[in-house]
Amino acid sequence: MRDRLQLNLFWRAALFYVVVFYGGLVWLFPRVSQWAVEAPEPLPLPAAALSMYWWLLLTGLFIYVSSSEARRQAFLHPLYRWFGVRGTRRRQALRWGVLVALPAAVGGMFYWDGLPRLSSPAGIRSQHPTMPKAFAKLANPLRHLSAEQVRAYQATLVARGAADVPPEAARERLVAQLVGEGAGLYAINCRPCHGMQANGAGPMARGFRLKPADFRDPGLLPTVVESYAFWRVSKGGPGLPAASTPWDSAMPIWELDLGEEERWKVLLGEYFLSGVGPREPEKLP
């Protein structure tokens, strides 16, 4: 009974391939990644990585099967059995059907993919899509400090043993502290892609097909209001509307990792490092 249930090397190799590639890399890995980072959707492997693992898996199986004559014979036995000269008429008909249908299907697939087709003109990609209304009226609370925030900071300075600081000086010191904290958050979370000079030339920038944004570009940050930048940082690439496809941004959804105040601080540091200020919203007369 055990001998009957034992699979031939050919079927064991095929089963191993299906379990590892489709079960492990295609199905299980995205769900484990989603659970590990608490993402809203599964995180599949990039197509380039899947292709690399596919070749590595087939190469490993080929090396294993061809490492000895016994394994090679055991692996090829089902193929000899089905595609050998001998066999019943039914098996011969099935064999010829496979030998004819498989190349015909592959050839037809390539032929169909290569046929010229009529298609609608490509849509115009929007570099700065319209932000949702929920973000339109937001303002950076750390850029426009209230008198209460300044007085609370003055009290903190006094508690630390500092002399009485005038309100304007306290405001400037608090703004400088917030900008420094924002630059620190930027260095931790944004520098790998956008660079410490905010010029889009971070150490990981070369790994992306779409280059990270250059915040020093006069056609970028100075042309959008700060609430727009807050929306882009909060929602990242997955939050872009269809008008921005293809070439969606690779930026993560930072609202999953950074609190609201931290994201506003990041923008303070971002504007400071880029040497520009946010665009002021126009007021209708």
PDB file of all heavy atoms in Angstrom, residues 8-42:
ATOM      1  N   ASN A   8       6.302   8.996  -7.985  1.00  0.00           N
ATOM      2  CA  ASN A   8       7.512   8.959  -8.777  1.00  0.00           C
ATOM      3  C   ASN A   8       8.253  10.290  -8.633  1.00  0.00           C
ATOM      4  O   ASN A   8       7.674  11.312  -8.278  1.00  0.00           O
ATOM      5  CB  ASN A   8       7.120   8.707 -10.239  1.00  0.00           C
ATOM      6  CG  ASN A   8       8.334   8.630 -11.144  1.00  0.00           C
ATOM      7  OD1 ASN A   8       8.803   9.658 -11.628  1.00  0.00           O
ATOM      8  ND2 ASN A   8       8.847   7.430 -11.370  1.00  0.00           N
ATOM      9  N   LEU A   9       9.550  10.282  -8.917  1.00  0.00           N
ATOM     10  CA  LEU A   9      10.377  11.491  -8.776  1.00  0.00           C
ATOM     11  C   LEU A   9       9.852  12.629  -9.643  1.00  0.00           C
ATOM     12  O   LEU A   9       9.911  13.796  -9.252  1.00  0.00           O
ATOM     13  CB  LEU A   9      11.832  11.175  -9.148  1.00  0.00           C
ATOM     14  CG  LEU A   9      12.824  12.340  -9.026  1.00  0.00           C
ATOM     15  CD1 LEU A   9      12.861  12.882  -7.603  1.00  0.00           C
ATOM     16  CD2 LEU A   9      14.207  11.911  -9.473  1.00  0.00           C
ATOM     17  N   PHE A  10       9.323  12.298 -10.801  1.00  0.00           N
ATOM     18  CA  PHE A  10       8.776  13.332 -11.683  1.00  0.00           C
ATOM     19  C   PHE A  10       7.629  14.075 -11.004  1.00  0.00           C
ATOM     20  O   PHE A  10       7.583  15.307 -10.982  1.00  0.00           O
ATOM     21  CB  PHE A  10       8.293  12.696 -12.986  1.00  0.00           C
ATOM     22  CG  PHE A  10       7.634  13.666 -13.929  1.00  0.00           C
ATOM     23  CD1 PHE A  10       8.391  14.412 -14.812  1.00  0.00           C
ATOM     24  CD2 PHE A  10       6.251  13.831 -13.923  1.00  0.00           C
ATOM     25  CE1 PHE A  10       7.785  15.316 -15.667  1.00  0.00           C
ATOM     26  CE2 PHE A  10       5.639  14.721 -14.770  1.00  0.00           C
ATOM     27  CZ  PHE A  10       6.409  15.467 -15.656  1.00  0.00           C
ATOM     28  N   TRP A  11       6.690  13.317 -10.419  1.00  0.00           N
ATOM     29  CA  TRP A  11       5.532  13.934  -9.775  1.00  0.00           C
ATOM     30  C   TRP A  11       5.917  14.599  -8.467  1.00  0.00           C
ATOM     31  O   TRP A  11       5.336  15.607  -8.077  1.00  0.00           O
ATOM     32  CB  TRP A  11       4.444  12.886  -9.552  1.00  0.00           C
ATOM     33  CG  TRP A  11       3.957  12.307 -10.832  1.00  0.00           C
ATOM     34  CD1 TRP A  11       4.110  11.028 -11.287  1.00  0.00           C
ATOM     35  CD2 TRP A  11       3.248  13.006 -11.874  1.00  0.00           C
ATOM     36  NE1 TRP A  11       3.547  10.872 -12.519  1.00  0.00           N
ATOM     37  CE2 TRP A  11       3.013  12.071 -12.916  1.00  0.00           C
ATOM     38  CE3 TRP A  11       2.799  14.310 -12.014  1.00  0.00           C
ATOM     39  CZ2 TRP A  11       2.337  12.430 -14.072  1.00  0.00           C
ATOM     40  CZ3 TRP A  11       2.131  14.665 -13.189  1.00  0.00           C
ATOM     41  CH2 TRP A  11       1.905  13.727 -14.194  1.00  0.00           C
ATOM     42  N   ARG A  12       6.908  14.059  -7.765  1.00  0.00           N
ATOM     43  CA  ARG A  12       7.388  14.716  -6.554  1.00  0.00           C
ATOM     44  C   ARG A  12       8.027  16.061  -6.875  1.00  0.00           C
ATOM     45  O   ARG A  12       7.832  17.060  -6.156  1.00  0.00           O
ATOM     46  CB  ARG A  12       8.373  13.813  -5.812  1.00  0.00           C
ATOM     47  CG  ARG A  12       7.716  12.721  -4.979  1.00  0.00           C
ATOM     48  CD  ARG A  12       8.761  11.982  -4.167  1.00  0.00           C
ATOM     49  NE  ARG A  12       9.564  11.111  -5.023  1.00  0.00           N
ATOM     50  CZ  ARG A  12      10.779  10.703  -4.739  1.00  0.00           C
ATOM     51  NH1 ARG A  12      11.370  11.093  -3.635  1.00  0.00           N
ATOM     52  NH2 ARG A  12      11.432   9.892  -5.565  1.00  0.00           N
ATOM     53  N   ALA A  13       8.803  16.111  -7.951  1.00  0.00           N
ATOM     54  CA  ALA A  13       9.413  17.375  -8.358  1.00  0.00           C
ATOM     55  C   ALA A  13       8.343  18.386  -8.778  1.00  0.00           C
ATOM     56  O   ALA A  13       8.423  19.572  -8.436  1.00  0.00           O
ATOM     57  CB  ALA A  13      10.398  17.131  -9.503  1.00  0.00           C
ATOM     58  N   ALA A  14       7.336  17.913  -9.527  1.00  0.00           N
ATOM     59  CA  ALA A  14       6.259  18.809  -9.939  1.00  0.00           C
ATOM     60  C   ALA A  14       5.486  19.327  -8.729  1.00  0.00           C
ATOM     61  O   ALA A  14       5.149  20.516  -8.646  1.00  0.00           O
ATOM     62  CB  ALA A  14       5.323  18.089 -10.912  1.00  0.00           C
ATOM     63  N   LEU A  15       5.199  18.429  -7.771  1.00  0.00           N
ATOM     64  CA  LEU A  15       4.482  18.845  -6.564  1.00  0.00           C
ATOM     65  C   LEU A  15       5.313  19.832  -5.745  1.00  0.00           C
ATOM     66  O   LEU A  15       4.781  20.826  -5.220  1.00  0.00           O
ATOM     67  CB  LEU A  15       4.139  17.615  -5.729  1.00  0.00           C
ATOM     68  CG  LEU A  15       3.353  17.875  -4.433  1.00  0.00           C
ATOM     69  CD1 LEU A  15       2.001  18.490  -4.749  1.00  0.00           C
ATOM     70  CD2 LEU A  15       3.168  16.565  -3.657  1.00  0.00           C
ATOM     71  N   PHE A  16       6.608  19.570  -5.643  1.00  0.00           N
ATOM     72  CA  PHE A  16       7.494  20.485  -4.914  1.00  0.00           C
ATOM     73  C   PHE A  16       7.492  21.865  -5.560  1.00  0.00           C
ATOM     74  O   PHE A  16       7.427  22.886  -4.875  1.00  0.00           O
ATOM     75  CB  PHE A  16       8.909  19.908  -4.898  1.00  0.00           C
ATOM     76  CG  PHE A  16       9.928  20.790  -4.230  1.00  0.00           C
ATOM     77  CD1 PHE A  16      10.046  20.812  -2.854  1.00  0.00           C
ATOM     78  CD2 PHE A  16      10.756  21.604  -4.992  1.00  0.00           C
ATOM     79  CE1 PHE A  16      10.985  21.639  -2.237  1.00  0.00           C
ATOM     80  CE2 PHE A  16      11.698  22.424  -4.396  1.00  0.00           C
ATOM     81  CZ  PHE A  16      11.805  22.441  -3.006  1.00  0.00           C
ATOM     82  N   TYR A  17       7.542  21.899  -6.878  1.00  0.00           N
ATOM     83  CA  TYR A  17       7.525  23.172  -7.594  1.00  0.00           C
ATOM     84  C   TYR A  17       6.231  23.935  -7.332  1.00  0.00           C
ATOM     85  O   TYR A  17       6.247  25.140  -7.047  1.00  0.00           O
ATOM     86  CB  TYR A  17       7.706  22.930  -9.089  1.00  0.00           C
ATOM     87  CG  TYR A  17       7.458  24.142  -9.938  1.00  0.00           C
ATOM     88  CD1 TYR A  17       8.440  25.118 -10.082  1.00  0.00           C
ATOM     89  CD2 TYR A  17       6.236  24.321 -10.575  1.00  0.00           C
ATOM     90  CE1 TYR A  17       8.204  26.246 -10.860  1.00  0.00           C
ATOM     91  CE2 TYR A  17       5.995  25.444 -11.352  1.00  0.00           C
ATOM     92  CZ  TYR A  17       6.975  26.396 -11.485  1.00  0.00           C
ATOM     93  OH  TYR A  17       6.730  27.511 -12.246  1.00  0.00           O
ATOM     94  N   VAL A  18       5.099  23.266  -7.429  1.00  0.00           N
ATOM     95  CA  VAL A  18       3.802  23.918  -7.231  1.00  0.00           C
ATOM     96  C   VAL A  18       3.671  24.434  -5.797  1.00  0.00           C
ATOM     97  O   VAL A  18       3.224  25.563  -5.569  1.00  0.00           O
ATOM     98  CB  VAL A  18       2.657  22.942  -7.571  1.00  0.00           C
ATOM     99  CG1 VAL A  18       1.315  23.522  -7.158  1.00  0.00           C
ATOM    100  CG2 VAL A  18       2.659  22.617  -9.051  1.00  0.00           C
ATOM    101  N   VAL A  19       4.073  23.631  -4.815  1.00  0.00           N
ATOM    102  CA  VAL A  19       3.931  24.025  -3.412  1.00  0.00           C
ATOM    103  C   VAL A  19       4.836  25.210  -3.089  1.00  0.00           C
ATOM    104  O   VAL A  19       4.407  26.192  -2.473  1.00  0.00           O
ATOM    105  CB  VAL A  19       4.237  22.825  -2.489  1.00  0.00           C
ATOM    106  CG1 VAL A  19       4.326  23.289  -1.042  1.00  0.00           C
ATOM    107  CG2 VAL A  19       3.155  21.764  -2.633  1.00  0.00           C
ATOM    108  N   VAL A  20       6.107  25.130  -3.511  1.00  0.00           N
ATOM    109  CA  VAL A  20       7.060  26.190  -3.168  1.00  0.00           C
ATOM    110  C   VAL A  20       6.749  27.476  -3.923  1.00  0.00           C
ATOM    111  O   VAL A  20       6.688  28.563  -3.322  1.00  0.00           O
ATOM    112  CB  VAL A  20       8.504  25.728  -3.453  1.00  0.00           C
ATOM    113  CG1 VAL A  20       9.483  26.883  -3.259  1.00  0.00           C
ATOM    114  CG2 VAL A  20       8.866  24.579  -2.525  1.00  0.00           C
ATOM    115  N   PHE A  21       6.543  27.381  -5.239  1.00  0.00           N
ATOM    116  CA  PHE A  21       6.379  28.597  -6.038  1.00  0.00           C
ATOM    117  C   PHE A  21       4.993  29.207  -5.855  1.00  0.00           C
ATOM    118  O   PHE A  21       4.869  30.367  -5.437  1.00  0.00           O
ATOM    119  CB  PHE A  21       6.642  28.294  -7.510  1.00  0.00           C
ATOM    120  CG  PHE A  21       6.633  29.524  -8.375  1.00  0.00           C
ATOM    121  CD1 PHE A  21       7.750  30.351  -8.427  1.00  0.00           C
ATOM    122  CD2 PHE A  21       5.524  29.860  -9.122  1.00  0.00           C
ATOM    123  CE1 PHE A  21       7.750  31.490  -9.218  1.00  0.00           C
ATOM    124  CE2 PHE A  21       5.510  31.000  -9.917  1.00  0.00           C
ATOM    125  CZ  PHE A  21       6.625  31.805  -9.965  1.00  0.00           C
ATOM    126  N   TYR A  22       3.963  28.422  -6.156  1.00  0.00           N
ATOM    127  CA  TYR A  22       2.617  28.984  -6.092  1.00  0.00           C
ATOM    128  C   TYR A  22       2.085  29.054  -4.658  1.00  0.00           C
ATOM    129  O   TYR A  22       1.491  30.059  -4.254  1.00  0.00           O
ATOM    130  CB  TYR A  22       1.659  28.175  -6.974  1.00  0.00           C
ATOM    131  CG  TYR A  22       1.928  28.355  -8.438  1.00  0.00           C
ATOM    132  CD1 TYR A  22       2.667  27.410  -9.149  1.00  0.00           C
ATOM    133  CD2 TYR A  22       1.476  29.471  -9.114  1.00  0.00           C
ATOM    134  CE1 TYR A  22       2.923  27.578 -10.503  1.00  0.00           C
ATOM    135  CE2 TYR A  22       1.730  29.650 -10.461  1.00  0.00           C
ATOM    136  CZ  TYR A  22       2.460  28.703 -11.156  1.00  0.00           C
ATOM    137  OH  TYR A  22       2.724  28.875 -12.487  1.00  0.00           O
ATOM    138  N   GLY A  23       2.321  27.984  -3.897  1.00  0.00           N
ATOM    139  CA  GLY A  23       1.826  28.003  -2.523  1.00  0.00           C
ATOM    140  C   GLY A  23       2.615  28.924  -1.616  1.00  0.00           C
ATOM    141  O   GLY A  23       2.037  29.659  -0.807  1.00  0.00           O
ATOM    142  N   GLY A  24       3.963  28.902  -1.743  1.00  0.00           N
ATOM    143  CA  GLY A  24       4.793  29.705  -0.851  1.00  0.00           C
ATOM    144  C   GLY A  24       4.995  31.126  -1.305  1.00  0.00           C
ATOM    145  O   GLY A  24       4.703  32.082  -0.570  1.00  0.00           O
ATOM    146  N   LEU A  25       5.483  31.311  -2.538  1.00  0.00           N
ATOM    147  CA  LEU A  25       5.856  32.649  -3.003  1.00  0.00           C
ATOM    148  C   LEU A  25       4.670  33.457  -3.508  1.00  0.00           C
ATOM    149  O   LEU A  25       4.585  34.659  -3.253  1.00  0.00           O
ATOM    150  CB  LEU A  25       6.903  32.524  -4.119  1.00  0.00           C
ATOM    151  CG  LEU A  25       8.233  31.874  -3.716  1.00  0.00           C
ATOM    152  CD1 LEU A  25       9.147  31.760  -4.919  1.00  0.00           C
ATOM    153  CD2 LEU A  25       8.908  32.668  -2.607  1.00  0.00           C
ATOM    154  N   VAL A  26       3.757  32.819  -4.225  1.00  0.00           N
ATOM    155  CA  VAL A  26       2.637  33.549  -4.824  1.00  0.00           C
ATOM    156  C   VAL A  26       1.489  33.746  -3.833  1.00  0.00           C
ATOM    157  O   VAL A  26       0.880  34.823  -3.789  1.00  0.00           O
ATOM    158  CB  VAL A  26       2.131  32.816  -6.085  1.00  0.00           C
ATOM    159  CG1 VAL A  26       0.899  33.518  -6.662  1.00  0.00           C
ATOM    160  CG2 VAL A  26       3.239  32.752  -7.128  1.00  0.00           C
ATOM    161  N   TRP A  27       1.193  32.735  -3.009  1.00  0.00           N
ATOM    162  CA  TRP A  27       0.029  32.839  -2.116  1.00  0.00           C
ATOM    163  C   TRP A  27       0.415  33.175  -0.680  1.00  0.00           C
ATOM    164  O   TRP A  27      -0.114  34.107  -0.085  1.00  0.00           O
ATOM    165  CB  TRP A  27      -0.751  31.531  -2.142  1.00  0.00           C
ATOM    166  CG  TRP A  27      -2.049  31.631  -1.383  1.00  0.00           C
ATOM    167  CD1 TRP A  27      -3.245  32.081  -1.858  1.00  0.00           C
ATOM    168  CD2 TRP A  27      -2.261  31.307  -0.001  1.00  0.00           C
ATOM    169  NE1 TRP A  27      -4.194  32.069  -0.866  1.00  0.00           N
ATOM    170  CE2 TRP A  27      -3.619  31.584   0.296  1.00  0.00           C
ATOM    171  CE3 TRP A  27      -1.450  30.811   1.007  1.00  0.00           C
ATOM    172  CZ2 TRP A  27      -4.171  31.383   1.544  1.00  0.00           C
ATOM    173  CZ3 TRP A  27      -2.001  30.606   2.265  1.00  0.00           C
ATOM    174  CH2 TRP A  27      -3.335  30.884   2.523  1.00  0.00           C
ATOM    175  N   LEU A  28       1.343  32.422  -0.075  1.00  0.00           N
ATOM    176  CA  LEU A  28       1.628  32.576   1.351  1.00  0.00           C
ATOM    177  C   LEU A  28       2.441  33.833   1.661  1.00  0.00           C
ATOM    178  O   LEU A  28       2.127  34.565   2.607  1.00  0.00           O
ATOM    179  CB  LEU A  28       2.359  31.336   1.870  1.00  0.00           C
ATOM    180  CG  LEU A  28       2.666  31.312   3.379  1.00  0.00           C
ATOM    181  CD1 LEU A  28       1.370  31.365   4.182  1.00  0.00           C
ATOM    182  CD2 LEU A  28       3.465  30.063   3.732  1.00  0.00           C
ATOM    183  N   PHE A  29       3.493  34.095   0.891  1.00  0.00           N
ATOM    184  CA  PHE A  29       4.378  35.237   1.190  1.00  0.00           C
ATOM    185  C   PHE A  29       3.631  36.565   1.243  1.00  0.00           C
ATOM    186  O   PHE A  29       3.850  37.353   2.173  1.00  0.00           O
ATOM    187  CB  PHE A  29       5.512  35.300   0.165  1.00  0.00           C
ATOM    188  CG  PHE A  29       6.469  36.423   0.408  1.00  0.00           C
ATOM    189  CD1 PHE A  29       7.544  36.273   1.269  1.00  0.00           C
ATOM    190  CD2 PHE A  29       6.296  37.648  -0.213  1.00  0.00           C
ATOM    191  CE1 PHE A  29       8.421  37.308   1.504  1.00  0.00           C
ATOM    192  CE2 PHE A  29       7.162  38.696   0.013  1.00  0.00           C
ATOM    193  CZ  PHE A  29       8.231  38.519   0.875  1.00  0.00           C
ATOM    194  N   PRO A  30       2.745  36.905   0.276  1.00  0.00           N
ATOM    195  CA  PRO A  30       2.035  38.183   0.374  1.00  0.00           C
ATOM    196  C   PRO A  30       1.191  38.302   1.639  1.00  0.00           C
ATOM    197  O   PRO A  30       1.100  39.395   2.228  1.00  0.00           O
ATOM    198  CB  PRO A  30       1.163  38.196  -0.887  1.00  0.00           C
ATOM    199  CG  PRO A  30       1.842  37.273  -1.832  1.00  0.00           C
ATOM    200  CD  PRO A  30       2.433  36.200  -0.976  1.00  0.00           C
ATOM    201  N   ARG A  31       0.603  37.215   2.095  1.00  0.00           N
ATOM    202  CA  ARG A  31      -0.242  37.289   3.284  1.00  0.00           C
ATOM    203  C   ARG A  31       0.581  37.374   4.559  1.00  0.00           C
ATOM    204  O   ARG A  31       0.186  38.033   5.515  1.00  0.00           O
ATOM    205  CB  ARG A  31      -1.179  36.080   3.294  1.00  0.00           C
ATOM    206  CG  ARG A  31      -2.303  36.224   2.271  1.00  0.00           C
ATOM    207  CD  ARG A  31      -2.869  34.906   1.789  1.00  0.00           C
ATOM    208  NE  ARG A  31      -3.911  35.135   0.798  1.00  0.00           N
ATOM    209  CZ  ARG A  31      -3.662  35.375  -0.485  1.00  0.00           C
ATOM    210  NH1 ARG A  31      -2.422  35.411  -0.934  1.00  0.00           N
ATOM    211  NH2 ARG A  31      -4.662  35.594  -1.321  1.00  0.00           N
ATOM    212  N   VAL A  32       1.717  36.692   4.596  1.00  0.00           N
ATOM    213  CA  VAL A  32       2.608  36.824   5.753  1.00  0.00           C
ATOM    214  C   VAL A  32       3.165  38.244   5.826  1.00  0.00           C
ATOM    215  O   VAL A  32       3.250  38.838   6.906  1.00  0.00           O
ATOM    216  CB  VAL A  32       3.747  35.788   5.666  1.00  0.00           C
ATOM    217  CG1 VAL A  32       4.786  36.040   6.759  1.00  0.00           C
ATOM    218  CG2 VAL A  32       3.193  34.374   5.796  1.00  0.00           C
ATOM    219  N   SER A  33       3.528  38.816   4.678  1.00  0.00           N
ATOM    220  CA  SER A  33       4.022  40.189   4.653  1.00  0.00           C
ATOM    221  C   SER A  33       2.935  41.165   5.098  1.00  0.00           C
ATOM    222  O   SER A  33       3.206  42.120   5.830  1.00  0.00           O
ATOM    223  CB  SER A  33       4.510  40.540   3.246  1.00  0.00           C
ATOM    224  OG  SER A  33       5.530  39.656   2.834  1.00  0.00           O
ATOM    225  N   GLN A  34       1.713  40.935   4.659  1.00  0.00           N
ATOM    226  CA  GLN A  34       0.610  41.793   5.088  1.00  0.00           C
ATOM    227  C   GLN A  34       0.421  41.737   6.590  1.00  0.00           C
ATOM    228  O   GLN A  34       0.231  42.768   7.251  1.00  0.00           O
ATOM    229  CB  GLN A  34      -0.681  41.357   4.383  1.00  0.00           C
ATOM    230  CG  GLN A  34      -1.915  42.146   4.820  1.00  0.00           C
ATOM    231  CD  GLN A  34      -3.195  41.550   4.268  1.00  0.00           C
ATOM    232  OE1 GLN A  34      -3.189  40.462   3.688  1.00  0.00           O
ATOM    233  NE2 GLN A  34      -4.301  42.248   4.449  1.00  0.00           N
ATOM    234  N   TRP A  35       0.503  40.534   7.160  1.00  0.00           N
ATOM    235  CA  TRP A  35       0.353  40.390   8.618  1.00  0.00           C
ATOM    236  C   TRP A  35       1.527  41.015   9.359  1.00  0.00           C
ATOM    237  O   TRP A  35       1.346  41.646  10.404  1.00  0.00           O
ATOM    238  CB  TRP A  35       0.231  38.907   8.953  1.00  0.00           C
ATOM    239  CG  TRP A  35       0.332  38.627  10.425  1.00  0.00           C
ATOM    240  CD1 TRP A  35      -0.652  38.763  11.366  1.00  0.00           C
ATOM    241  CD2 TRP A  35       1.504  38.183  11.132  1.00  0.00           C
ATOM    242  NE1 TRP A  35      -0.178  38.433  12.610  1.00  0.00           N
ATOM    243  CE2 TRP A  35       1.147  38.076  12.502  1.00  0.00           C
ATOM    244  CE3 TRP A  35       2.792  37.873  10.752  1.00  0.00           C
ATOM    245  CZ2 TRP A  35       2.058  37.663  13.470  1.00  0.00           C
ATOM    246  CZ3 TRP A  35       3.699  37.462  11.714  1.00  0.00           C
ATOM    247  CH2 TRP A  35       3.325  37.358  13.062  1.00  0.00           C
ATOM    248  N   ALA A  36       2.739  40.884   8.823  1.00  0.00           N
ATOM    249  CA  ALA A  36       3.937  41.370   9.523  1.00  0.00           C
ATOM    250  C   ALA A  36       3.948  42.884   9.637  1.00  0.00           C
ATOM    251  O   ALA A  36       4.350  43.434  10.670  1.00  0.00           O
ATOM    252  CB  ALA A  36       5.197  40.876   8.812  1.00  0.00           C
ATOM    253  N   VAL A  37       3.515  43.593   8.579  1.00  0.00           N
ATOM    254  CA  VAL A  37       3.564  45.062   8.595  1.00  0.00           C
ATOM    255  C   VAL A  37       2.184  45.678   8.806  1.00  0.00           C
ATOM    256  O   VAL A  37       2.042  46.900   8.760  1.00  0.00           O
ATOM    257  CB  VAL A  37       4.179  45.589   7.284  1.00  0.00           C
ATOM    258  CG1 VAL A  37       5.580  45.049   7.088  1.00  0.00           C
ATOM    259  CG2 VAL A  37       3.317  45.243   6.080  1.00  0.00           C
ATOM    260  N   GLU A  38       1.171  44.814   9.018  1.00  0.00           N
ATOM    261  CA  GLU A  38      -0.198  45.276   9.256  1.00  0.00           C
ATOM    262  C   GLU A  38      -0.695  46.144   8.101  1.00  0.00           C
ATOM    263  O   GLU A  38      -1.281  47.214   8.303  1.00  0.00           O
ATOM    264  CB  GLU A  38      -0.285  46.044  10.570  1.00  0.00           C
ATOM    265  CG  GLU A  38       0.087  45.192  11.792  1.00  0.00           C
ATOM    266  CD  GLU A  38      -0.026  45.951  13.090  1.00  0.00           C
ATOM    267  OE1 GLU A  38      -0.306  47.170  13.033  1.00  0.00           O
ATOM    268  OE2 GLU A  38       0.138  45.354  14.163  1.00  0.00           O
ATOM    269  N   ALA A  39      -0.444  45.683   6.875  1.00  0.00           N
ATOM    270  CA  ALA A  39      -0.888  46.409   5.692  1.00  0.00           C
ATOM    271  C   ALA A  39      -2.357  46.086   5.404  1.00  0.00           C
ATOM    272  O   ALA A  39      -2.851  45.015   5.771  1.00  0.00           O
ATOM    273  CB  ALA A  39      -0.027  46.034   4.484  1.00  0.00           C
ATOM    274  N   PRO A  40      -3.069  47.000   4.747  1.00  0.00           N
ATOM    275  CA  PRO A  40      -4.486  46.734   4.455  1.00  0.00           C
ATOM    276  C   PRO A  40      -4.699  45.668   3.387  1.00  0.00           C
ATOM    277  O   PRO A  40      -5.753  45.049   3.328  1.00  0.00           O
ATOM    278  CB  PRO A  40      -4.997  48.101   3.969  1.00  0.00           C
ATOM    279  CG  PRO A  40      -3.785  48.819   3.487  1.00  0.00           C
ATOM    280  CD  PRO A  40      -2.659  48.345   4.357  1.00  0.00           C
ATOM    281  N   GLU A  41      -3.701  45.435   2.531  1.00  0.00           N
ATOM    282  CA  GLU A  41      -3.821  44.465   1.446  1.00  0.00           C
ATOM    283  C   GLU A  41      -2.585  43.556   1.437  1.00  0.00           C
ATOM    284  O   GLU A  41      -1.537  43.929   1.971  1.00  0.00           O
ATOM    285  CB  GLU A  41      -3.943  45.173   0.096  1.00  0.00           C
ATOM    286  CG  GLU A  41      -5.163  46.071  -0.029  1.00  0.00           C
ATOM    287  CD  GLU A  41      -6.467  45.285  -0.073  1.00  0.00           C
ATOM    288  OE1 GLU A  41      -6.403  44.077  -0.413  1.00  0.00           O
ATOM    289  OE2 GLU A  41      -7.525  45.866   0.206  1.00  0.00           O
ATOM    290  N   PRO A  42      -2.697  42.355   0.855  1.00  0.00           N
ATOM    291  CA  PRO A  42      -1.502  41.502   0.714  1.00  0.00           C
ATOM    292  C   PRO A  42      -0.410  42.204  -0.079  1.00  0.00           C
ATOM    293  O   PRO A  42      -0.691  43.022  -0.957  1.00  0.00           O
ATOM    294  CB  PRO A  42      -2.044  40.275  -0.036  1.00  0.00           C
ATOM    295  CG  PRO A  42      -3.497  40.250   0.263  1.00  0.00           C
ATOM    296  CD  PRO A  42      -3.923  41.684   0.390  1.00  0.00           C
TER     297      PRO A  42
END
